[in-house]
Amino acid sequence: MEKTLNKRDLFWIFIRSNFLLGSFNFERMQAMGFCVALMPALKKLYQGDELKAALKRHLEFFNTQPFVAAAIMGIIAAMEEKRANGADISPQTLSGVKVGLIGPLAGVGDPIFWGTARPVLGALGASLAVAGNWMGPLIYFFGINIIRILVRWYGLRLGYERGTAMVTEVGGGQLKR
């Protein structure tokens, strides 16, 4: 029987991805949050010792821009699904994909969110607030959170739907051991 993830599983990964920084530490940074976010999928795909190994595998170092981390979660969830169904994807491959994506996505996400969206929305909100308009703080608050939620949700969905194809297209070949 083939093990597959559904929209409900992805929804719970999305919800948990919002707490990625909830247990940030200086040894493994966001690893605990990454593992906790993937737990619904891992529990559905694996049992017993395989589940323990999968959880341990996702407790290794992880650190990227928090909003774009959901795209990596989607790709890894798709790869874990294929692995659980017998695909030849090694733990080293899963680790390599994660490590290979954290830098480039942080390099894209940091300037977009911390260097552009927050300052622009903050300046807009502050200019309205200084003029006495109570909408200023609301524009900032809702604006940044709408962007954050949409990037997380669609990043997760795109990562999952494109899964390993996304990695092999960029990498130019097959996933190897």
Side-chain angles (χ1 to χ4, degrees):
M1 186 170 145
E2 188 170 314
K3 300 172 185 175
T4 59
L5 299 176
N6 57 33
K7 285 185 180 180
R8 185 174 188 270
D9 300 319
L10 292 178
F11 174 77
W12 284 109
I13 293 172
F14 164 74
I15 293 296
R16 288 170 171 236
S17 76
N18 287 288
F19 301 102
L20 179 68
L21 298 174
S23 61
F24 184 89
N25 65 68
F26 289 105
E27 181 183 355
R28 296 190 178 150
M29 305 232 165
Q30 301 167 344
M32 181 74 76
F34 187 90
C35 184
V36 166
L38 282 182
M39 281 178 79
L42 296 175
K43 285 182 177 181
K44 187 171 185 178
L45 298 172
Y46 301 112
Q47 307 295 320
D49 289 340
E50 286 182 327
L51 176 59
K52 289 178 188 175
L55 292 171
K56 187 176 180 182
R57 164 168 70 243
H58 294 298
L59 285 173
E60 63 187 15
F61 178 84
F62 183 82
N63 187 34
T64 193
Q65 202 283 335
F67 303 166
V68 298
I72 300 173
M73 291 175 193
I75 292 168
I76 295 298
M79 292 176 72
E80 287 284 7
E81 180 182 66
K82 286 186 178 191
R83 186 174 196 278
N85 287 309
D88 190 25
I89 299 173
S90 70
Q92 293 81 11
T93 300
L94 289 162
S95 177
V97 168
K98 276 178 24 183
V99 169
L101 290 174
I102 61 177
L105 286 181
V108 169
D110 284 343
I112 290 172
F113 297 107
W114 304 149
T116 304
R118 278 181 49 179
V120 168
L121 288 168
L124 177 62
S127 67
L128 290 172
V130 167
N133 189 336
W134 58 271
M135 291 292 289
L138 294 177
I139 286 173
Y140 173 77
F141 178 79
F142 287 111
I144 199 70
N145 281 299
I146 288 169
I147 292 168
R148 177 184 65 80
I149 288 168
L150 290 174
V151 167
R152 280 188 194 266
W153 176 247
Y154 287 107
L156 176 67
R157 293 285 307 270
L158 180 65
Y160 176 74
E161 289 167 3
R162 298 288 315 275
T164 55
M166 194 178 255
V167 176
T168 56
E169 285 173 12
V170 172
Q174 297 283 336
L175 290 175
K176 298 175 185 161
R177 282 188 170 198

